[in-house]
Amino acid sequence: MKTTRSVVLGCGSYLPAKILTNYDLAKMVDTSDDWIVERTGIKVRHLAREDETTSDLALEAATQAIRNAGIGVNDIDMIVVATTTPDETFPSTATRVQAGLNMLGGAAFDIQAVCSGFIFAVSVADAMIRSGQAKTVLVIGAETMSRLLDWNDRGTCVLFGDGAGAIVLQAHEGDGSNHDRGVLMTKIFSDGRLHDLLYVDGGVSTTGTAGHLRMQGREVFKHAVTNIAAAIEAAAGAAGVALSEIDWFVPHQANQRILAGTARKLGINPERVISTVAEHGNTSAASVPLALSTAVEDGRIKRGHLILMEAMGGGFTWGASLLRW
Ligand code: ACO
């Protein structure tokens, strides 16, 4: 049966120039390169300049994705930005990007699902495309997580980085089978009872400040492997795809041990898992499209490949999206 599919036309990414190494961090808090690498796999992360905002990062990634897609800005009729670090409380970061692109018309809005944001944004964009409300959607994950960190808390400040990634999705007709290009299935979940394990201790209607990220790392870790594995099985299962058929797993890049633990739990070949955590750290909603762009640029991901993107983050939120490149 003919079906509308959201096909990826192109992708792009952007990392701020400034790099913070584990050795730099060891001068700031009581930590070491050995500890960070052993517990997380992270070696370096990128940090936005003081005058560089989330929308600046998003705009760079978006411009590259549009160029890579081979379309014009005004072919886009919707922008969805996943971010937990917006430029301002309002308006949305997406409207800043819209203005930056000189995009006339269409709609632009943000969604908030912390580290799962990109998966949630793909889910929303795909639903918009399949329901006929949009034809060409720019989906961006962009973060300046460095602005939310308590730089005295060694348990969190070593984990995160800044960056942005973007894809362009466009409506194309498929035959309704798993051989179609485009998004085949997305599953998203949340459980608000787990708020206290990972949150920011500030906000507009509480403290009136942006606040700092707080986390019970060990507890988050346990939930991460369980939830991510369940989301992968839910998305692949609903699409009728065996995990062995998937060419590349593109996970949220939180911690190399979470990537390895999930692969082990599901019997996934670790060589099929794209990892950029060593170079990017955890860039929250930006991490999946950043990893995706990396693997497209270096030639690992090719047209026709089956890709499984997944993430988990504060809320808790988690999800997975299966697509054919
Ligand atoms: N350097 C040195 N020592 C540290 C550091 C640090 N940067 N941070 C914590 N420690 C110490 C702790 O104080 C503790 O010391 P103690 O034994 O004297 O009390 C010891 O190291 C062990 O601490 P744990 O928190 O138990 O260490 P763990 O092995 O769990 O690793 C980590 C911590 C890396 C945070 C891990 O729990 C983790 O990655 N959790 C997942 C969190 C995550 O990825 N969150 C991102 C958002 S959610 C998501 O994206 C999935």
Side-chain angles (χ1 to χ4, degrees), residues 183-206:
V183 178
L184 301 175
M185 183 63 62
T186 304
K187 292 283 184 186
I188 56 173
F189 308 91
S190 56
D191 185 345
R193 294 171 302 175
L194 299 168
H195 167 276
D196 292 357
L197 300 184
L198 178 57
Y199 65 101
V200 165
D201 62 2
V204 179
S205 75
T206 50

Side-chain angles (χ1 to χ4, degrees), residues 13-263:
S13 63
Y14 178 74
L15 289 161
K18 186 178 175 193
I19 288 176
L20 188 72
T21 67
N22 292 345
Y23 298 99
D24 296 329
L25 279 161
K27 292 180 202 146
M28 297 158 63
V29 286
D30 183 11
T31 191
S32 66
D33 177 60
D34 284 350
W35 192 97
I36 301 170
V37 171
E38 190 194 318
R39 303 287 177 125
T40 72
I42 300 167
K43 291 181 181 158
V44 300
R45 68 289 289 146
H46 292 247
L47 295 190
R49 292 188 316 266
E50 236 170 75
D51 63 345
E52 216 171 14
T53 64
T54 295
S55 71
D56 293 329
L57 274 48
L59 188 57
E60 295 281 353
T63 303
Q64 204 186 92
I66 292 166
R67 202 181 313 126
N68 185 248
I71 60 166
V73 164
N74 288 309
D75 294 326
I76 298 167
D77 50 15
M78 189 170 284
I79 301 177
V80 186
V81 174
T83 187
T84 202
T85 47
D87 291 18
E88 298 161 324
T89 302
F90 83 77
S92 68
T93 299
T95 55
R96 309 275 291 188
V97 175
Q98 184 189 28
L101 288 172
N102 280 321
M103 177 178 145
L104 313 167
F109 58 93
D110 290 358
I111 67 137
Q112 156 64 299
V114 204
C115 298
S116 314
F118 188 74
I119 305 296
F120 278 57
V122 166
S123 173
V124 169
D126 182 43
M128 289 292 187
I129 287 174
R130 283 187 293 109
S131 67
Q133 293 186 73
K135 188 165 182 288
T136 308
V137 186
L138 176 62
V139 186
I140 305 172
E143 303 278 17
T144 45
M145 291 303 283
S146 59
R147 309 276 155 79
L148 283 182
L149 298 176
D150 173 352
W151 289 99
N152 296 312
D153 176 12
R154 68 177 181 172
T156 54
C157 75
V158 303
L159 302 176
F160 295 88
D162 302 336
I167 60 173
V168 176
L169 289 176
Q170 190 171 69
H172 283 267
E173 202 162 275
D175 63 14
S177 81
N178 286 338
H179 298 292
D180 287 345
R181 289 185 70 209
V183 178
L184 301 175
M185 183 63 62
T186 304
K187 292 283 184 186
I188 56 173
F189 308 91
S190 56
D191 185 345
R193 294 171 302 175
L194 299 168
H195 167 276
D196 292 357
L197 300 184
L198 178 57
Y199 65 101
V200 165
D201 62 2
V204 179
S205 75
T206 50
T207 59
T209 62
H212 290 118
L213 188 146
R214 304 294 173 206
M215 178 176 74
Q216 295 178 37
R218 191 166 281 199
E219 287 305 310
V220 173
F221 193 103
K222 280 191 232 156
H223 283 86
V225 174
T226 308
N227 290 345
I228 289 166
I232 291 174
E233 287 186 316
V241 165
L243 299 188
S244 57
E245 294 175 63
I246 294 167
D247 295 292
W248 297 106
F249 292 83
V250 185
H252 166 49
Q253 310 286 320
N255 183 318
Q256 188 58 39
R257 288 191 296 146
I258 296 178
L259 270 57
T262 309

